[in-house]
Amino acid sequence: MPERRSPARRPTMKDIARRAGVSESAVSFALNGRPGVSDITRDRVRRVAEQLGWRPSTAARALSGEGAATVGLVLARPAGTLGVDSFFLQLVSGIQEVLAERHLGLLFQIAEDIGDECAVYRRWWAEHRVDGVLVVDPRTDDPRPGLLDELGLPAVVIGGTPDERHPRLSTVWADDAAAMAALVDGLYTLGHRRIAHIAGLLELAHTERRIRTLRAEAERRGLYEVQSVPTDYSDVAGAAVTRRVLDGPGTPTALIYDNDVMAVAGVAAAVELGFSIPADVSVVAWEDSALCRLVKPWLSALSRDSVEFGRTAARELTALLDGGPARTVRVPVPALIERDSTGRPGRCAPSRYRGD
Amino acid sequence: MPERRSPARRPTMKDIARRAGVSESAVSFALNGRPGVSDITRDRVRRVAEQLGWRPSTAARALSGEGAATVGLVLARPAGTLGVDSFFLQLVSGIQEVLAERHLGLLFQIAEDIGDECAVYRRWWAEHRVDGVLVVDPRTDDPRPGLLDELGLPAVVIGGTPDERHPRLSTVWADDAAAMAALVDGLYTLGHRRIAHIAGLLELAHTERRIRTLRAEAERRGLYEVQSVPTDYSDVAGAAVTRRVLDGPGTPTALIYDNDVMAVAGVAAAVELGFSIPADVSVVAWEDSALCRLVKPWLSALSRDSVEFGRTAARELTALLDGGPARTVRVPVPALIERDSTGRPGRCAPSRYRGD
């Protein structure tokens, strides 16, 4: 006869005591690492606890000063713009791989804007909900590091640059400036002199880094027809800016897009205007994803390992929670995957001006 | 001289007592809703607590039996497949809108597979980490409802169909069968007789519902050249299956894709084979997103309000947490947005067989 299944019950210290043949207080001493029991008893209690699947309640741990065993992550983006995003879920996947090893939970929140995000940190802090946070999308003028410093919440800024005003925050970042410099060098070597950069949100720190580097590299080489146009990262903006920069004299021969969605939308807009890729104009997407292989020609893209980026950030946060010092860690520079959308600027003028 | 900022300190009951001019125990009575203080004192204490930004610690609330003030959500997908997803972040955004009103946190976890996901539920339950969970991607043979029933964890299944074996679980679902029936009807009216359905994962309950409905609708109309081919939802599979179904006799005149990514990849594959859209073959994507407007022609798509779907699910979960009964809620049937990829099957054979 099959055993009748009773409803699940969480194993208690009493269960452990009964099974291990010791008193409840001995179990409590043993599991809380306090003196008062022999090493042999401690070992036996721990083994039985493990066999029974006993776990300390998170609430009890938090009240006993062991922390919430939870870290927080806020994504501040208006609901309407939460569309196609190939980076974020991969980042979170890497983060959780590391958190899971430590039995840390991830409290996740979507906020409307940065003010909202700050309010979330204050609430989490007031409610002892998290032991630390992972901060994404660092900005040029960012209120979050100051707030987190003030609250004393351990934090790792993902994608920021080291900031000596907040020595208690760790930073994990990719060198976008180096990636942009290498990209401009590659395009220059191919023969490109007129480059348009369809950039992301101007208030994000990495957007500013890319724009600044592009300008410096252009000046160094005496290129005066190089421009950056900030956008909101949307496909609509990607297409609109593409139309604008391709329309008129001094048409660029290379387009750099700050994400994959804008690159795909930009290619469609360019083709519609009669441009051939890469014959008339080369295209590079900053961020590689399935999207880059969904269009013809396949897009050349700057690729990074987002899962590993997440792992690195989570490791730095657990190090902070363990009492380690704040650190700045640089992940590998994004590498250019050359596909079919980049080449020499072969024609003198785009096809539509030549009537072919 | 600017005021020197001292490090932040969480307001305590002592602070409230001092400011309100009452004893600490009066504050405790007032904030915990216990008798022993006058209504006037209670009001004053609550006002002062609000002014000071006082919040009960989550851990204290949990231990006092008020719950973890947190709900959980697990996404069981291998890290490698976490790519372009337009549905999930929008769903989460709607969920959080409702949770935020109730000051409930969302504990989020990515799991490798369904076994992993069950282990997460067990751990969360053992650690009292969550008061309830939202379950996504319901399967035809799903171990989760049984487990959640056994653990007594309140749960809302998102996308499932009502299951009387688990009367304690709520369900929020869209009627995919009705949407598929309407879609087949529309294509039939346009003149399509040969339809291929490039389906999603066979083990997902909604995939099976769509396949079953397509078959029933086809039989009802005496259509014998209608087929469903299950895939893993990837762009690679979308392209491969498209090539297979378009290659050979009895070529379908309409293709239904179970997501946007496969539809976009399928269109590229079809065009490469010499098919013109919609002249040779009509295309519909199940799931509308920016992707559908990134390709030419723009794709007709079944559209649903994913943010509202999330809101509805979260509302049902908070109702369960409030002690309400389990319910089954149906959200509106996805509606067809007709763009440029659907039309009458105008030509007798695809262009490539006619040499044009």
Side-chain angles (χ1 to χ4, degrees), chain B residues 24 34 46 78 113 138 160 215 217 240 276 282 341 345:
Chain B
E24 269 186 71
R34 299 205 178 119
R46 288 197 175 156
D113 54 38
R215 196 174 303 153
E217 291 295 315
S276 171
S282 284
S341 67

Side-chain angles (χ1 to χ4, degrees), chain B residues 58-134:
Chain B
T58 310
R61 286 169 54 158
L63 277 194
S64 72
E66 285 181 77
T70 304
V71 306
L73 192 159
V74 182
L75 184 63
R77 301 202 194 156
T81 70
L82 288 169
V84 176
D85 191 296
S86 52
F87 169 68
F88 187 73
L89 282 179
Q90 292 193 41
L91 181 82
V92 169
S93 152
I95 287 169
Q96 294 203 307
E97 217 182 283
V98 172
L99 296 184
E101 287 163 18
R102 296 281 301 256
H103 295 288
L104 291 168
L106 182 71
L107 199 60
F108 176 53
Q109 179 95 40
I110 292 173
E112 270 293 303
D113 54 38
I114 197 100
D116 241 29
E117 180 172 346
C118 288
V120 170
Y121 292 142
R122 287 188 180 279
R123 198 172 68 236
W124 280 353
W125 169 83
E127 296 179 3
H128 304 253
R129 268 189 183 272
V130 297
D131 301 324
V133 295
L134 294 157

Side-chain angles (χ1 to χ4, degrees), chain A residues 5-11 53-63 68-71 75 77 79-80 82-90 92-93 96-97 100 103-111 122-130 150-151 153 235-236 260-261 264-266 268 272 289-291 293-296 307, chain B residues 5-11 53-63 68-71 75 77 79-80 82-90 92-93 96-97 100 103-111 122-130 150-151 153 235-236 260-261 264-266 268 272 289-291 293-296 307:
Chain A
R5 208 134 171 217
S6 60
R9 197 174 62 79
R10 292 182 182 85
W54 179 87
R55 300 293 308 272
S57 128
T58 309
R61 285 169 53 159
L63 277 193
T70 303
V71 306
L75 185 63
R77 303 204 192 154
L82 288 169
V84 177
D85 190 297
S86 52
F87 169 68
F88 187 72
L89 282 180
Q90 292 193 41
V92 169
S93 151
Q96 293 202 309
E97 216 182 284
H103 295 290
L104 291 167
L106 182 72
L107 199 61
F108 176 52
Q109 179 95 41
I110 291 172
R122 286 189 180 280
R123 198 172 69 236
W124 280 353
W125 169 82
E127 296 179 4
H128 304 252
R129 266 188 184 273
V130 297
E150 179 197 332
L151 298 177
L153 256 185
D235 57 321
V236 176
D260 45 1
V261 174
V264 171
E272 219 171 69
S289 79
L291 279 188
R293 286 167 287 117
L294 282 181
V295 288
K296 285 287 148 91
V307 177
Chain B
R5 205 127 170 226
S6 60
R9 196 174 63 80
R10 294 182 181 84
W54 179 87
R55 301 294 309 273
S57 129
T58 310
R61 286 169 54 158
L63 277 194
T70 304
V71 306
L75 184 63
R77 301 202 194 156
L82 288 169
V84 176
D85 191 296
S86 52
F87 169 68
F88 187 73
L89 282 179
Q90 292 193 41
V92 169
S93 152
Q96 294 203 307
E97 217 182 283
H103 295 288
L104 291 168
L106 182 71
L107 199 60
F108 176 53
Q109 179 95 40
I110 292 173
R122 287 188 180 279
R123 198 172 68 236
W124 280 353
W125 169 83
E127 296 179 3
H128 304 253
R129 268 189 183 272
V130 297
E150 178 196 331
L151 298 178
L153 257 185
D235 57 319
V236 175
D260 45 0
V261 174
V264 171
E272 220 171 67
S289 79
L291 279 188
R293 287 167 285 115
L294 282 181
V295 288
K296 285 287 146 90
V307 177

Side-chain angles (χ1 to χ4, degrees), chain A residues 133-152:
Chain A
V133 296
L134 293 157
V135 178
V136 293
D137 290 345
R139 302 180 175 226
T140 36
D141 191 14
D142 202 324
R144 296 170 297 173
L147 171 65
L148 294 167
D149 239 8
E150 179 197 332
L151 298 177

Side-chain angles (χ1 to χ4, degrees), chain A residues 14 32 39 51 90 116 147 149-150 157 160 184 229 237 258 323 332 345:
Chain A
K14 193 181 246 170
N32 290 311
D39 285 352
Q51 286 163 2
Q90 292 193 41
D116 240 30
L147 171 65
D149 239 8
E150 179 197 332
V157 181
V184 173
V229 186
D258 260 6

